[in-house]
Amino acid sequence: MTPTTPTAALVARDWAEIQERMLVPLYEAVYDRLELGPGDRLLGLDCGAGLALLLAAGRGARVTGVEPRPELRALARERVLEVATAPPRPAGDPYDVLTAFAPEPDALAAALPVVGRGAAVVLADWGPPERCTVPALPGGGPVPRDLDALVERAGLVPDGSGRVFCPFGYADTESAVRGLLSSGLYDLADPAQTEKELTEALHPYERADGSVWLPNIFRYVIARTE
């Protein structure tokens, strides 16, 4: 692929069109565990382009997203989703499910006041490094957060956890590089160098037909508000 400097809009589009769907097994496993359905009110933090919200809405849940990045927020709104820049207070019943599939402590703390007592709070992130094949480069890579520490720090009550197999599959190396660069894992200060290093790191995962297959494990924890 020819290295170029990606704009924020192009990176967001690559996330929506290539990378976001790689996390569908995680989203579905969480919703199955919660038995998410009609009557549930879900608030999704850092919802990206909104695919996780769409899946929840497809189960009958009423969904609202929070996405601070304007390019991703615009894509989520193209999907006719309600997406705000900060956690909005619900007009009716409080949210009873809060999801943070890439949890940040400050964002989590800001959202907790708008969810109800006993609400389910789901945090998720990368699993053990030895179970993830997405390349780690000098410019970044998967670094799992300590989800249990986040639960404790937020004053939540643990209520279970799980692991989900999320393989990242791409038609070719170019798609893999574009998808991974859109994930926020890597420093894009020097995109040409990062693209070069990432392309080289993906060679061991190329298949005979040119596709790229990266097996990964993600972990989620469920907690409850008091």
Side-chain angles (χ1 to χ4, degrees):
M1 65 189 291
T2 302
T4 58
T5 301
T7 66
L10 286 176
V11 170
R13 184 67 67 177
D14 283 343
W15 170 261
E17 295 181 353
I18 300 173
Q19 192 63 30
E20 191 176 25
R21 65 177 180 268
M22 307 298 176
L23 297 176
V24 167
L26 172 63
Y27 302 150
E28 296 285 22
V30 165
Y31 296 157
D32 286 345
R33 179 76 173 261
L34 295 176
E35 297 183 346
L36 190 75
D40 290 321
R41 297 202 66 174
L42 181 147
L43 179 64
L45 298 184
D46 292 321
C47 68
L51 181 57
L53 295 181
L54 281 179
L55 295 173
R59 292 170 176 250
R62 291 174 290 171
V63 302
T64 302
V66 177
E67 177 50 62
R69 293 160 291 187
E71 296 81 14
L72 287 168
R73 191 166 63 247
L75 292 176
R77 287 174 175 170
E78 285 179 11
R79 291 168 163 172
V80 199
L81 293 166
E82 179 186 344
V83 181
T85 57
R89 292 194 174 276
D93 297 332
Y95 302 106
D96 45 27
V97 178
L98 174 66
T99 60
F101 291 112
E104 297 295 342
D106 290 345
L108 179 61
L112 287 176
V114 304
V115 302
R117 293 188 63 182
V121 179
V122 181
L123 309 180
D125 205 20
W126 296 91
E130 66 273 12
R131 301 293 303 277
C132 299
T133 56
V134 167
L137 304 177
V143 179
R145 295 169 176 85
D146 187 338
L147 301 179
D148 301 299
L150 281 175
V151 167
E152 182 177 1
R153 193 180 314 155
L156 301 169
V157 179
D159 192 29
S161 64
R163 293 185 177 186
V164 183
F165 180 55
C166 284
F168 291 4
Y170 308 92
D172 50 40
T173 302
E174 180 177 355
S175 295
V177 171
R178 287 172 55 199
L180 291 171
L181 290 181
S182 75
S183 67
L185 292 172
Y186 302 99
D187 183 0
L188 295 182
D190 185 351
Q193 181 62 28
T194 303
E195 286 183 15
K196 178 177 181 295
E197 292 176 357
L198 191 52
T199 299
E200 293 173 353
L202 290 172
H203 285 326
Y205 304 101
E206 294 177 10
R207 294 179 161 186
D209 62 358
S211 62
V212 176
W213 185 254
L214 300 171
N216 302 289
I217 296 291
F218 279 72
R219 180 174 183 257
Y220 68 86
V221 299
I222 298 173
R224 298 279 172 178
T225 56
E226 292 190 291

